Amino acid sequence: MNTKTPHANPSKSRSPRHRAREFALQGLYQWLLNNEDSGAIEAHIREAHGFDKADREHFDALLHGSINQSLQLRDDIAPLIDRKISELSPVEHAALLIGAYELKNHVEIPYRVIINEAVELTKSFGGLDGHKYVNGVLDKLAAKLRSTEVAAGR
């Protein structure tokens, strides 16, 4: 079993909130592969190089919120994908959980920002075309969860 956390070279121009998403993705990746306790994952991630530049509050919300709401978030995602959730790559799965969590729980963040951030995470950490898949799924989810905002933006 691969227990290694995905790692990308964080750009110096990344915002604290983007860094929080990067670290949350890494934590969710560990959780998806090893089903580790979220507290242990958090402690490990907080020791990572560059964590001091991340928005700690947003990281906590994303990591713990995505894990705590994972069953509900997967229920929201499942009808929008073309395969079983268990068949998603761990990076795509984690990015979709983060995106779905933010769409549901952080209405102060525009849906386009949430989708763009999830796409960027998938480009940095995932496979070749995973970002296109994540974009399509979250676009459909945004239309469902934030129909008024999406309609106003089109």
Side-chain angles (χ1 to χ4, degrees):
M1 174 192 305
N2 179 5
T3 60
K4 197 171 179 185
T5 303
H7 178 72
N9 294 327
S11 165
K12 291 181 182 183
S13 66
R14 301 284 188 207
S15 72
R17 192 161 269 193
H18 182 81
R19 288 175 188 263
R21 290 181 180 100
E22 289 178 335
F23 287 115
L25 181 106
Q26 292 176 42
L28 284 168
Y29 183 92
Q30 287 181 1
W31 179 73
L32 288 167
L33 288 184
N34 303 324
N35 202 27
E36 279 184 65
D37 173 72
S38 63
I41 292 170
E42 178 185 348
H44 172 75
I45 295 287
R46 284 183 177 274
E47 297 298 317
H49 175 72
F51 187 81
D52 58 319
K53 294 180 176 118
D55 178 335
R56 290 178 175 94
E57 189 176 314
H58 200 60
F59 165 77
D60 287 342
L62 293 177
L63 179 67
H64 296 291
S66 295
I67 290 172
N68 293 337
Q69 295 179 22
S70 63
L71 294 176
Q72 297 162 292
L73 298 173
R74 287 174 178 147
D75 285 346
D76 291 333
I77 295 166
L80 308 174
I81 61 176
D82 61 353
R83 61 191 87 154
K84 294 178 185 172
I85 287 183
S86 62
E87 295 173 2
L88 293 170
S89 82
V91 171
E92 290 171 6
H93 191 168
L96 287 170
L97 287 173
I98 289 170
Y101 174 81
E102 285 191 297
L103 285 170
K104 284 187 96 160
N105 298 285
H106 288 275
V107 294
E108 75 281 4
I109 303 172
Y111 81 94
R112 288 184 181 187
V113 170
I114 293 168
I115 293 172
N116 184 58
E117 288 287 326
V119 166
E120 290 303 313
L121 287 174
T122 312
K123 282 182 181 177
S124 295
F125 294 98
L128 217 55
D129 287 329
H131 67 281
K132 294 176 186 176
Y133 189 77
V134 166
N135 183 51
V137 173
L138 290 179
D139 194 48
K140 291 176 197 169
L141 186 59
K144 181 179 166 188
L145 296 177
R146 297 193 181 185
S147 57
T148 304
E149 181 185 355
V150 170
R154 290 197 172 147

